[in-house]
Amino acid sequence: MKVVLEHLTKIFPSRDKDKSAEVVAVNDFNLEIPDGKLIGLLGPSGCGKSTTLFMISGLQAPTSGKIFFGEDEVTTLAPENRGIGLVFQNYALYPHMTVQQNILFPLQNLKGENRLSKEEMLTRANEVAKLVQIDKFMNRKPSELSGGQQQRVAIARALVKMPRVLLLDEPLSNLDARLRLQTREEIRRIQRDTQITTIFVTHDQEEAMSISDYIVVMKLGVIMQTGKPQWVYDDPANLFVAKFLGTPPINVFTGKVENEKLYIGDEAVLDVKGVEDQEVYIGVRPEGFLLNANGKLTCSVSGIDVMGRDISVVSTNAASLNPVVRSIIAADEMGNVAGEVKFNLKEHKVFVFNKETEERVYFGKQVAAHEEMVAQMKAEGQNVTPHNGPLPREADDKVQDNRPAEQQQGFSGKVKGAFARVKGVFTKKKGTAEEEAQSAPEETADKAESEAKE
Amino acid sequence: MSKTKEKPKNNWRAWLYLAPALIILLVFTVWPIINTVRIAFLNSYNGLAERGGATFEFGFYNFEYVVSISGFSRSLGNTLLITVITVPVSTMLALLIAVALNSIKPFRKIFQTIFFLPYVTNAIAIGMVFFAMFHTVTLGSQTLSTGIINSIIQAFGGKPVNWIDAGSSWGHNMAVVCIYIIWNALPFKILVLLGGLQSVNKQYYDAAKVDGASRFRIFWRITVPMLSPMIAYVVITGFIGGFKEYNSVVGILGETMGPAGGDRQLNTMAGCIYDSLNDGFQGYAAAAALILFAIIFAVTMINLYVSKKKVHY
């Protein structure tokens, strides 16, 4: 069952009449989810991913926009008539019922023609229980099961009435690390076996990357990028996506493009043909560093984390916006790492973002690679430009400069900060109302989401 | 336990803090209980006589006497009936009202206050109000004035009923008393159940909604089991309260424990105890109190046993 979301918007009204206190949890959300795929909605808390899921489930009504399951519009349909299965973050298993009663419950609610005989219900429950491998525990109460087993019961309960769409709200967040790994494989397997279109919400990028066919990265209710996990990792559309994906996180430097050369600090690190002069942020994946005695980027080493096969070099650079620069290199080069190190950068691991818009600036081979990916995504029916207008920003949402003030270039940190704030006020005045709504502080969005969940 | 063993030097401090409560409990609760047991087994015990130097034999005469008097079995019957009627009815009503209150937003506070009025009002005062409501003043065959209940009955074309006045029947008396007790028992039960409802995780209701459960099924399969600990608590305390019922009868019917000039036809177990006290035979009263205690104890044990099986988690 294909799921289509058209201009989906959810606004939580403020408690009083003050319009500016409204929270736009989901903002003009357009997405087409192909039949039988597993989609991960990914984003920091308060980005509206759970709200989106609850709107698809029917537990929350959208402020505007439409939801389609296949060709049917379901926007105003009650949850029980949508044919969805929903797994809650803390499972919401009925504590007073046994596993079997829990799984049978949705079937027992069916009425009229859909009503099954008792034997059919039991067979169906047993089938589903086998699928999720909890058939041994049918007579236990949820409290007598481990977290992972409870999770599977919850999935079984969601699957038993053969939903058209399966929705999972942070299904792994209550499990320990080992179980999480195991359960996410399990979810992937069950989804493949049943071929049910599945949408799953998480704030854990690793989780989303590992099991999703597509991921949708969200921020402040707006889609930042969609695509296959590897694409999104390899070709982030903006600074937010680049920073959100990847462990260890991407290294962000401040720099500039001048005469088709990319500068980190004062060091020209790469040639960027065809790129206009501008102030930029430069993101470099930890695996994008090459140790080289004549390297173009100089960093001073402050430590080494040994990881076996690789080592992670922790160093500092004046232009880095992160407190430290993390680079992963092969372990046999450890001997060369001390004091000052020089790196060359792998071109395809370096992402350049315009400082104003934080949108990606493609250069060199990246241009062709990006175009190829876009073409592929279009062929698979994915929307390529998910957000309309400028990227959502919070009022004070400047990229954080974590360096000590004296290291920051140009004006001192304080003056620079004040300048940025003044500029923020100006652009805000010019911006549309929509922009203003988008810039609602994340805190309130967070609150609204947790309230909505309740 | 092990902690106090490790640090015995701090013990005196704990006892010091506990002392005021312990002393008051010992003097006003523990000693009276022990004394009651003692008195109950002293044949025909009388406090005044004991002061005068009389001694009493140890024996079971008090119990034999209390059980043999004619009012006793009727009091026991009345008490049982009151309990069996009022506890289930008031619990069910309270449950429905609590669920209704929980599902409305606009006037919840006002309704909560209204339902809570009986709880903060003196039982005897409400009893007198009930008396006025059901009262009818007659002279010979002529009705001089009627209470509001009879007025309503008359307005609908019925005949006025002699609810509680002289010559009224046991059944009518019992009906009024039960209505009073049920109404009076509601607020506490509503309070407990409403608190329970508000602590039920909303996600269960969302899950049930997604699972397509009807409102009725959500009530029976989700709400009631989730509330079962509170329901058990309310039922058990209800039973205990029901067996100790006394002031409602006094409030409505007066110390005659029945219509004026009657033969105490609505007397209760607690009433029996007071009667014996009034007669000056504390021994009989103590024996009756112990019998009542035994009954309440047994019923509570049964309640706990049943609720252990039925109450979820």
Side-chain angles (χ1 to χ4, degrees), chain A residues 59 79-80 84 86 88 90 92-97 105-106 108-109 111 157 161 454, chain B residues 201-204 206-214 217-218 221-222 225-226 312-313:
Chain A
L59 287 173
E80 64 266 27
I84 49 145
L86 179 56
F88 290 86
N90 38 17
L93 294 177
Y94 310 120
H96 54 283
M97 299 187 198
F105 189 71
Q108 287 162 344
N109 292 327
K111 284 186 211 103
R157 187 180 66 183
K161 38 173 198 184
E454 283 167 17
Chain B
N201 191 338
K202 289 254 181 329
Q203 217 156 54
Y204 294 123
D206 278 345
K209 231 187 274 173
V210 171
D211 288 343
S214 61
R217 271 180 67 82
I218 289 179
R221 297 288 308 270
I222 312 290
M226 290 286 179
H312 306 289
Y313 72 117

mmCIF file of all heavy atoms in Angstrom, chain A residues 59 79-80 84 86 88 90 92-97 105-106 108-109 111 157 161 454, chain B residues 201-204 206-214 217-218 221-222 225-226 312-313:
data_model
loop_
_atom_site.group_PDB
_atom_site.id
_atom_site.type_symbol
_atom_site.label_atom_id
_atom_site.label_comp_id
_atom_site.label_asym_id
_atom_site.label_seq_id
_atom_site.Cartn_x
_atom_site.Cartn_y
_atom_site.Cartn_z
ATOM 1 N N LEU A 59 -4.599 9.151 15.019
ATOM 2 C CA LEU A 59 -4.787 9.547 16.413
ATOM 3 C C LEU A 59 -4.722 11.061 16.561
ATOM 4 O O LEU A 59 -5.231 11.618 17.516
ATOM 5 C CB LEU A 59 -3.733 8.893 17.301
ATOM 6 C CG LEU A 59 -3.938 7.386 17.525
ATOM 7 C CD1 LEU A 59 -2.749 6.794 18.262
ATOM 8 C CD2 LEU A 59 -5.211 7.110 18.284
ATOM 9 N N PRO A 79 -8.981 6.035 13.329
ATOM 10 C CA PRO A 79 -7.827 5.131 13.290
ATOM 11 C C PRO A 79 -8.218 3.678 12.988
ATOM 12 O O PRO A 79 -7.530 3.008 12.224
ATOM 13 C CB PRO A 79 -7.232 5.245 14.692
ATOM 14 C CG PRO A 79 -7.821 6.421 15.325
ATOM 15 C CD PRO A 79 -9.004 6.858 14.546
ATOM 16 N N GLU A 80 -9.310 3.216 13.607
ATOM 17 C CA GLU A 80 -9.650 1.794 13.469
ATOM 18 C C GLU A 80 -10.078 1.443 12.050
ATOM 19 O O GLU A 80 -10.066 0.284 11.658
ATOM 20 C CB GLU A 80 -10.732 1.391 14.485
ATOM 21 C CG GLU A 80 -12.080 2.062 14.311
ATOM 22 C CD GLU A 80 -12.217 3.308 15.161
ATOM 23 O OE1 GLU A 80 -11.172 3.926 15.467
ATOM 24 O OE2 GLU A 80 -13.353 3.664 15.515
ATOM 25 N N ILE A 84 -4.413 0.266 9.972
ATOM 26 C CA ILE A 84 -3.016 0.469 10.344
ATOM 27 C C ILE A 84 -2.697 -0.371 11.569
ATOM 28 O O ILE A 84 -3.570 -0.728 12.349
ATOM 29 C CB ILE A 84 -2.726 1.944 10.693
ATOM 30 C CG1 ILE A 84 -3.792 2.452 11.669
ATOM 31 C CG2 ILE A 84 -2.652 2.790 9.466
ATOM 32 C CD1 ILE A 84 -3.263 3.426 12.657
ATOM 33 N N LEU A 86 -0.080 -0.045 14.843
ATOM 34 C CA LEU A 86 0.775 0.973 15.457
ATOM 35 C C LEU A 86 1.509 0.357 16.641
ATOM 36 O O LEU A 86 0.896 -0.260 17.502
ATOM 37 C CB LEU A 86 -0.085 2.157 15.910
ATOM 38 C CG LEU A 86 0.593 3.324 16.604
ATOM 39 C CD1 LEU A 86 1.711 3.908 15.773
ATOM 40 C CD2 LEU A 86 -0.425 4.411 16.924
ATOM 41 N N PHE A 88 3.712 1.381 19.819
ATOM 42 C CA PHE A 88 4.047 2.570 20.584
ATOM 43 C C PHE A 88 5.458 2.471 21.149
ATOM 44 O O PHE A 88 6.012 1.392 21.304
ATOM 45 C CB PHE A 88 3.062 2.749 21.737
ATOM 46 C CG PHE A 88 1.695 3.139 21.279
ATOM 47 C CD1 PHE A 88 0.776 2.182 20.897
ATOM 48 C CD2 PHE A 88 1.328 4.465 21.227
ATOM 49 C CE1 PHE A 88 -0.483 2.538 20.475
ATOM 50 C CE2 PHE A 88 0.067 4.829 20.803
ATOM 51 C CZ PHE A 88 -0.839 3.866 20.428
ATOM 52 N N ASN A 90 6.566 2.835 24.171
ATOM 53 C CA ASN A 90 6.695 1.891 25.282
ATOM 54 C C ASN A 90 5.681 0.764 25.168
ATOM 55 O O ASN A 90 5.160 0.279 26.151
ATOM 56 C CB ASN A 90 6.614 2.592 26.632
ATOM 57 C CG ASN A 90 5.609 3.705 26.612
ATOM 58 O OD1 ASN A 90 4.766 3.761 25.720
ATOM 59 N ND2 ASN A 90 5.660 4.583 27.578
ATOM 60 N N ALA A 92 2.766 -0.119 25.051
ATOM 61 C CA ALA A 92 1.359 -0.046 25.447
ATOM 62 C C ALA A 92 0.674 -1.404 25.384
ATOM 63 O O ALA A 92 -0.464 -1.522 24.966
ATOM 64 C CB ALA A 92 0.592 0.977 24.581
ATOM 65 N N LEU A 93 1.382 -2.434 25.819
ATOM 66 C CA LEU A 93 0.715 -3.736 25.944
ATOM 67 C C LEU A 93 -0.221 -3.668 27.126
ATOM 68 O O LEU A 93 0.107 -3.084 28.154
ATOM 69 C CB LEU A 93 1.755 -4.834 26.175
ATOM 70 C CG LEU A 93 2.720 -5.099 25.030
ATOM 71 C CD1 LEU A 93 3.735 -6.151 25.445
ATOM 72 C CD2 LEU A 93 1.969 -5.567 23.801
ATOM 73 N N TYR A 94 -1.396 -4.290 26.983
ATOM 74 C CA TYR A 94 -2.342 -4.266 28.092
ATOM 75 C C TYR A 94 -1.794 -5.151 29.208
ATOM 76 O O TYR A 94 -1.669 -6.361 29.035
ATOM 77 C CB TYR A 94 -3.715 -4.736 27.636
ATOM 78 C CG TYR A 94 -4.179 -4.027 26.378
ATOM 79 C CD1 TYR A 94 -4.472 -4.727 25.225
ATOM 80 C CD2 TYR A 94 -4.293 -2.635 26.355
ATOM 81 C CE1 TYR A 94 -4.882 -4.079 24.077
ATOM 82 C CE2 TYR A 94 -4.691 -1.981 25.208
ATOM 83 C CZ TYR A 94 -4.988 -2.704 24.081
ATOM 84 O OH TYR A 94 -5.376 -2.067 22.936
ATOM 85 N N PRO A 95 -1.462 -4.553 30.350
ATOM 86 C CA PRO A 95 -0.718 -5.314 31.360
ATOM 87 C C PRO A 95 -1.538 -6.439 31.996
ATOM 88 O O PRO A 95 -0.974 -7.368 32.549
ATOM 89 C CB PRO A 95 -0.348 -4.263 32.408
ATOM 90 C CG PRO A 95 -1.314 -3.158 32.196
ATOM 91 C CD PRO A 95 -1.690 -3.167 30.755
ATOM 92 N N HIS A 96 -2.868 -6.339 31.918
ATOM 93 C CA HIS A 96 -3.694 -7.336 32.587
ATOM 94 C C HIS A 96 -4.038 -8.508 31.683
ATOM 95 O O HIS A 96 -4.731 -9.416 32.095
ATOM 96 C CB HIS A 96 -4.961 -6.677 33.105
ATOM 97 C CG HIS A 96 -5.706 -5.932 32.028
ATOM 98 N ND1 HIS A 96 -5.282 -4.694 31.573
ATOM 99 C CD2 HIS A 96 -6.788 -6.246 31.319
ATOM 100 C CE1 HIS A 96 -6.098 -4.282 30.634
ATOM 101 N NE2 HIS A 96 -7.013 -5.207 30.449
ATOM 102 N N MET A 97 -3.604 -8.457 30.442
ATOM 103 C CA MET A 97 -3.914 -9.549 29.529
ATOM 104 C C MET A 97 -2.645 -10.354 29.257
ATOM 105 O O MET A 97 -1.544 -9.825 29.274
ATOM 106 C CB MET A 97 -4.426 -8.995 28.204
ATOM 107 C CG MET A 97 -5.687 -8.171 28.309
ATOM 108 S SD MET A 97 -6.260 -7.778 26.641
ATOM 109 C CE MET A 97 -7.361 -6.427 26.981
ATOM 110 N N PHE A 105 -6.768 -9.280 20.945
ATOM 111 C CA PHE A 105 -7.653 -8.138 21.206
ATOM 112 C C PHE A 105 -8.135 -7.426 19.941
ATOM 113 O O PHE A 105 -9.336 -7.219 19.775
ATOM 114 C CB PHE A 105 -6.961 -7.171 22.168
ATOM 115 C CG PHE A 105 -7.844 -6.077 22.676
ATOM 116 C CD1 PHE A 105 -8.856 -6.347 23.577
ATOM 117 C CD2 PHE A 105 -7.681 -4.769 22.234
ATOM 118 C CE1 PHE A 105 -9.666 -5.336 24.045
ATOM 119 C CE2 PHE A 105 -8.494 -3.759 22.706
ATOM 120 C CZ PHE A 105 -9.490 -4.048 23.607
ATOM 121 N N PRO A 106 -7.235 -7.075 19.015
ATOM 122 C CA PRO A 106 -7.725 -6.397 17.798
ATOM 123 C C PRO A 106 -8.689 -7.263 16.993
ATOM 124 O O PRO A 106 -9.637 -6.738 16.407
ATOM 125 C CB PRO A 106 -6.448 -6.126 16.995
ATOM 126 C CG PRO A 106 -5.339 -6.235 17.954
ATOM 127 C CD PRO A 106 -5.765 -7.200 19.005
ATOM 128 N N GLN A 108 -10.751 -9.526 18.205
ATOM 129 C CA GLN A 108 -12.029 -9.625 18.906
ATOM 130 C C GLN A 108 -12.877 -8.373 18.698
ATOM 131 O O GLN A 108 -14.086 -8.389 18.932
ATOM 132 C CB GLN A 108 -11.786 -9.840 20.403
ATOM 133 C CG GLN A 108 -11.288 -11.238 20.700
ATOM 134 C CD GLN A 108 -10.645 -11.335 22.074
ATOM 135 O OE1 GLN A 108 -10.304 -10.327 22.680
ATOM 136 N NE2 GLN A 108 -10.477 -12.555 22.545
ATOM 137 N N ASN A 109 -12.219 -7.290 18.285
ATOM 138 C CA ASN A 109 -12.971 -6.059 18.074
ATOM 139 C C ASN A 109 -13.623 -5.993 16.700
ATOM 140 O O ASN A 109 -14.424 -5.105 16.441
ATOM 141 C CB ASN A 109 -12.050 -4.854 18.236
ATOM 142 C CG ASN A 109 -11.589 -4.682 19.658
ATOM 143 O OD1 ASN A 109 -12.337 -5.004 20.577
ATOM 144 N ND2 ASN A 109 -10.384 -4.214 19.838
ATOM 145 N N LYS A 111 -16.042 -6.535 13.650
ATOM 146 C CA LYS A 111 -17.499 -6.719 13.684
ATOM 147 C C LYS A 111 -18.006 -7.155 12.327
ATOM 148 O O LYS A 111 -17.325 -7.001 11.313
ATOM 149 C CB LYS A 111 -18.177 -5.403 14.087
ATOM 150 C CG LYS A 111 -18.063 -5.117 15.544
ATOM 151 C CD LYS A 111 -18.891 -3.886 15.896
ATOM 152 C CE LYS A 111 -18.268 -3.144 17.057
ATOM 153 N NZ LYS A 111 -17.540 -1.950 16.689
ATOM 154 N N ARG A 157 0.795 -7.763 17.863
ATOM 155 C CA ARG A 157 -0.543 -7.193 18.029
ATOM 156 C C ARG A 157 -0.865 -6.227 16.886
ATOM 157 O O ARG A 157 -1.999 -6.144 16.429
ATOM 158 C CB ARG A 157 -0.640 -6.468 19.376
ATOM 159 C CG ARG A 157 -2.044 -6.004 19.689
ATOM 160 C CD ARG A 157 -2.113 -5.310 21.013
ATOM 161 N NE ARG A 157 -1.367 -4.058 20.996
ATOM 162 C CZ ARG A 157 -1.220 -3.282 22.059
ATOM 163 N NH1 ARG A 157 -1.743 -3.625 23.204
ATOM 164 N NH2 ARG A 157 -0.544 -2.162 21.972
ATOM 165 N N LYS A 161 -4.091 -7.999 12.585
ATOM 166 C CA LYS A 161 -5.255 -7.752 11.721
ATOM 167 C C LYS A 161 -4.828 -7.393 10.318
ATOM 168 O O LYS A 161 -5.592 -6.822 9.555
ATOM 169 C CB LYS A 161 -6.183 -6.696 12.321
ATOM 170 C CG LYS A 161 -5.470 -5.584 12.990
ATOM 171 C CD LYS A 161 -6.387 -4.476 13.417
ATOM 172 C CE LYS A 161 -5.504 -3.275 13.660
ATOM 173 N NZ LYS A 161 -6.160 -2.123 14.172
ATOM 174 N N GLU A 454 1.102 12.452 24.739
ATOM 175 C CA GLU A 454 0.276 12.069 25.871
ATOM 176 C C GLU A 454 -1.158 11.945 25.453
ATOM 177 O O GLU A 454 -1.914 11.201 25.966
ATOM 178 C CB GLU A 454 0.392 13.099 26.977
ATOM 179 C CG GLU A 454 1.712 12.946 27.764
ATOM 180 C CD GLU A 454 1.943 14.157 28.632
ATOM 181 O OE1 GLU A 454 0.988 14.911 28.862
ATOM 182 O OE2 GLU A 454 3.092 14.356 29.057
ATOM 183 N N ASN B 201 -2.242 5.242 31.920
ATOM 184 C CA ASN B 201 -1.522 5.776 30.772
ATOM 185 C C ASN B 201 -2.469 5.912 29.569
ATOM 186 O O ASN B 201 -3.119 4.951 29.171
ATOM 187 C CB ASN B 201 -0.378 4.828 30.423
ATOM 188 C CG ASN B 201 0.570 5.425 29.426
ATOM 189 O OD1 ASN B 201 0.209 6.347 28.684
ATOM 190 N ND2 ASN B 201 1.778 4.916 29.388
ATOM 191 N N LYS B 202 -2.508 7.116 29.004
ATOM 192 C CA LYS B 202 -3.416 7.384 27.885
ATOM 193 C C LYS B 202 -3.100 6.497 26.685
ATOM 194 O O LYS B 202 -3.933 6.278 25.814
ATOM 195 C CB LYS B 202 -3.301 8.849 27.464
ATOM 196 C CG LYS B 202 -3.883 9.811 28.467
ATOM 197 C CD LYS B 202 -5.207 10.378 27.962
ATOM 198 C CE LYS B 202 -5.821 11.376 28.913
ATOM 199 N NZ LYS B 202 -5.568 11.181 30.328
ATOM 200 N N GLN B 203 -1.864 6.029 26.631
ATOM 201 C CA GLN B 203 -1.451 5.249 25.476
ATOM 202 C C GLN B 203 -2.280 3.966 25.324
ATOM 203 O O GLN B 203 -2.507 3.520 24.213
ATOM 204 C CB GLN B 203 0.023 4.901 25.610
ATOM 205 C CG GLN B 203 0.721 4.935 24.292
ATOM 206 C CD GLN B 203 2.208 5.170 24.442
ATOM 207 O OE1 GLN B 203 2.874 4.461 25.157
ATOM 208 N NE2 GLN B 203 2.730 6.155 23.772
ATOM 209 N N TYR B 204 -2.742 3.414 26.460
ATOM 210 C CA TYR B 204 -3.579 2.218 26.363
ATOM 211 C C TYR B 204 -4.857 2.523 25.587
ATOM 212 O O TYR B 204 -5.350 1.700 24.826
ATOM 213 C CB TYR B 204 -3.922 1.695 27.746
ATOM 214 C CG TYR B 204 -2.730 1.187 28.509
ATOM 215 C CD1 TYR B 204 -2.403 1.711 29.739
ATOM 216 C CD2 TYR B 204 -1.914 0.197 27.964
ATOM 217 C CE1 TYR B 204 -1.296 1.266 30.441
ATOM 218 C CE2 TYR B 204 -0.805 -0.257 28.651
ATOM 219 C CZ TYR B 204 -0.500 0.282 29.890
ATOM 220 O OH TYR B 204 0.596 -0.153 30.565
ATOM 221 N N ASP B 206 -5.174 4.948 23.354
ATOM 222 C CA ASP B 206 -4.792 5.129 21.951
ATOM 223 C C ASP B 206 -4.638 3.777 21.278
ATOM 224 O O ASP B 206 -5.118 3.550 20.169
ATOM 225 C CB ASP B 206 -3.471 5.907 21.855
ATOM 226 C CG ASP B 206 -3.673 7.402 21.976
ATOM 227 O OD1 ASP B 206 -4.839 7.831 21.845
ATOM 228 O OD2 ASP B 206 -2.709 8.130 22.205
ATOM 229 N N ALA B 207 -3.972 2.870 21.981
ATOM 230 C CA ALA B 207 -3.756 1.535 21.420
ATOM 231 C C ALA B 207 -5.092 0.849 21.166
ATOM 232 O O ALA B 207 -5.315 0.257 20.110
ATOM 233 C CB ALA B 207 -2.905 0.701 22.369
ATOM 234 N N ALA B 208 -6.008 0.970 22.135
ATOM 235 C CA ALA B 208 -7.309 0.329 21.981
ATOM 236 C C ALA B 208 -8.078 0.948 20.816
ATOM 237 O O ALA B 208 -8.782 0.260 20.080
ATOM 238 C CB ALA B 208 -8.108 0.461 23.274
ATOM 239 N N LYS B 209 -7.904 2.255 20.649
ATOM 240 C CA LYS B 209 -8.581 2.938 19.547
ATOM 241 C C LYS B 209 -8.062 2.413 18.212
ATOM 242 O O LYS B 209 -8.828 2.113 17.298
ATOM 243 C CB LYS B 209 -8.331 4.450 19.652
ATOM 244 C CG LYS B 209 -9.606 5.265 19.572
ATOM 245 C CD LYS B 209 -9.291 6.744 19.507
ATOM 246 C CE LYS B 209 -9.112 7.356 20.880
ATOM 247 N NZ LYS B 209 -8.644 8.744 20.823
ATOM 248 N N VAL B 210 -6.739 2.295 18.119
ATOM 249 C CA VAL B 210 -6.149 1.757 16.889
ATOM 250 C C VAL B 210 -6.606 0.312 16.680
ATOM 251 O O VAL B 210 -6.838 -0.117 15.553
ATOM 252 C CB VAL B 210 -4.608 1.840 16.955
ATOM 253 C CG1 VAL B 210 -3.991 1.093 15.788
ATOM 254 C CG2 VAL B 210 -4.163 3.277 16.952
ATOM 255 N N ASP B 211 -6.745 -0.416 17.779
ATOM 256 C CA ASP B 211 -7.184 -1.806 17.679
ATOM 257 C C ASP B 211 -8.673 -1.920 17.375
ATOM 258 O O ASP B 211 -9.200 -3.029 17.276
ATOM 259 C CB ASP B 211 -6.872 -2.552 18.979
ATOM 260 C CG ASP B 211 -5.388 -2.808 19.129
ATOM 261 O OD1 ASP B 211 -4.683 -2.706 18.112
ATOM 262 O OD2 ASP B 211 -4.937 -3.109 20.241
ATOM 263 N N GLY B 212 -9.354 -0.795 17.297
ATOM 264 C CA GLY B 212 -10.754 -0.810 16.892
ATOM 265 C C GLY B 212 -11.734 -1.224 17.974
ATOM 266 O O GLY B 212 -12.812 -1.733 17.679
ATOM 267 N N ALA B 213 -11.380 -1.023 19.246
ATOM 268 C CA ALA B 213 -12.293 -1.407 20.317
ATOM 269 C C ALA B 213 -13.407 -0.370 20.464
ATOM 270 O O ALA B 213 -13.156 0.823 20.367
ATOM 271 C CB ALA B 213 -11.526 -1.537 21.628
ATOM 272 N N SER B 214 -14.638 -0.851 20.690
ATOM 273 C CA SER B 214 -15.751 0.074 20.906
ATOM 274 C C SER B 214 -15.612 0.685 22.298
ATOM 275 O O SER B 214 -14.861 0.199 23.136
ATOM 276 C CB SER B 214 -17.070 -0.665 20.795
ATOM 277 O OG SER B 214 -17.132 -1.665 21.780
ATOM 278 N N ARG B 217 -16.339 -1.765 24.995
ATOM 279 C CA ARG B 217 -15.259 -2.735 25.207
ATOM 280 C C ARG B 217 -14.044 -2.087 25.863
ATOM 281 O O ARG B 217 -13.364 -2.708 26.673
ATOM 282 C CB ARG B 217 -14.853 -3.379 23.880
ATOM 283 C CG ARG B 217 -15.649 -4.620 23.562
ATOM 284 C CD ARG B 217 -15.218 -5.230 22.243
ATOM 285 N NE ARG B 217 -13.866 -5.755 22.305
ATOM 286 C CZ ARG B 217 -13.542 -6.952 22.796
ATOM 287 N NH1 ARG B 217 -14.493 -7.721 23.304
ATOM 288 N NH2 ARG B 217 -12.310 -7.370 22.803
ATOM 289 N N ILE B 218 -13.778 -0.839 25.487
ATOM 290 C CA ILE B 218 -12.670 -0.139 26.128
ATOM 291 C C ILE B 218 -12.944 -0.044 27.627
ATOM 292 O O ILE B 218 -12.066 -0.285 28.452
ATOM 293 C CB ILE B 218 -12.466 1.264 25.508
ATOM 294 C CG1 ILE B 218 -11.906 1.132 24.094
ATOM 295 C CG2 ILE B 218 -11.526 2.101 26.363
ATOM 296 C CD1 ILE B 218 -11.696 2.445 23.379
ATOM 297 N N ARG B 221 -12.761 -3.872 29.007
ATOM 298 C CA ARG B 221 -11.516 -4.629 28.844
ATOM 299 C C ARG B 221 -10.295 -3.803 29.225
ATOM 300 O O ARG B 221 -9.244 -4.362 29.494
ATOM 301 C CB ARG B 221 -11.364 -5.096 27.396
ATOM 302 C CG ARG B 221 -12.447 -6.062 26.932
ATOM 303 C CD ARG B 221 -12.304 -7.440 27.560
ATOM 304 N NE ARG B 221 -10.982 -8.036 27.428
ATOM 305 C CZ ARG B 221 -10.599 -8.808 26.424
ATOM 306 N NH1 ARG B 221 -11.443 -9.081 25.467
ATOM 307 N NH2 ARG B 221 -9.398 -9.320 26.404
ATOM 308 N N ILE B 222 -10.409 -2.476 29.228
ATOM 309 C CA ILE B 222 -9.244 -1.658 29.573
ATOM 310 C C ILE B 222 -9.454 -0.925 30.897
ATOM 311 O O ILE B 222 -8.721 -1.118 31.850
ATOM 312 C CB ILE B 222 -8.920 -0.622 28.474
ATOM 313 C CG1 ILE B 222 -8.914 -1.257 27.093
ATOM 314 C CG2 ILE B 222 -7.609 0.090 28.770
ATOM 315 C CD1 ILE B 222 -7.781 -2.185 26.812
ATOM 316 N N PRO B 225 -10.249 -3.275 34.247
ATOM 317 C CA PRO B 225 -9.073 -3.993 34.757
ATOM 318 C C PRO B 225 -7.960 -3.061 35.251
ATOM 319 O O PRO B 225 -7.337 -3.338 36.257
ATOM 320 C CB PRO B 225 -8.586 -4.788 33.547
ATOM 321 C CG PRO B 225 -9.712 -4.853 32.620
ATOM 322 C CD PRO B 225 -10.540 -3.636 32.851
ATOM 323 N N MET B 226 -7.788 -1.937 34.536
ATOM 324 C CA MET B 226 -6.744 -1.010 34.961
ATOM 325 C C MET B 226 -7.071 -0.418 36.329
ATOM 326 O O MET B 226 -6.191 -0.056 37.086
ATOM 327 C CB MET B 226 -6.615 0.135 33.953
ATOM 328 C CG MET B 226 -6.033 -0.275 32.642
ATOM 329 S SD MET B 226 -4.310 -0.550 32.816
ATOM 330 C CE MET B 226 -3.900 -1.032 31.182
ATOM 331 N N HIS B 312 -5.685 -7.166 38.744
ATOM 332 C CA HIS B 312 -4.566 -7.358 37.839
ATOM 333 C C HIS B 312 -3.384 -6.539 38.269
ATOM 334 O O HIS B 312 -3.522 -5.410 38.686
ATOM 335 C CB HIS B 312 -4.995 -6.980 36.426
ATOM 336 C CG HIS B 312 -6.231 -7.714 36.013
ATOM 337 N ND1 HIS B 312 -6.231 -9.051 35.737
ATOM 338 C CD2 HIS B 312 -7.515 -7.318 35.921
ATOM 339 C CE1 HIS B 312 -7.453 -9.430 35.440
ATOM 340 N NE2 HIS B 312 -8.250 -8.390 35.547
ATOM 341 N N TYR B 313 -2.283 -7.131 38.177
ATOM 342 C CA TYR B 313 -0.969 -6.593 38.490
ATOM 343 C C TYR B 313 -0.885 -5.742 39.732
ATOM 344 O O TYR B 313 -1.705 -5.802 40.612
ATOM 345 C CB TYR B 313 -0.381 -5.822 37.295
ATOM 346 C CG TYR B 313 -1.010 -4.497 36.972
ATOM 347 C CD1 TYR B 313 -0.267 -3.324 37.062
ATOM 348 C CD2 TYR B 313 -2.334 -4.405 36.575
ATOM 349 C CE1 TYR B 313 -0.831 -2.122 36.754
ATOM 350 C CE2 TYR B 313 -2.897 -3.209 36.277
ATOM 351 C CZ TYR B 313 -2.158 -2.059 36.360
ATOM 352 O OH TYR B 313 -2.716 -0.857 36.040
#
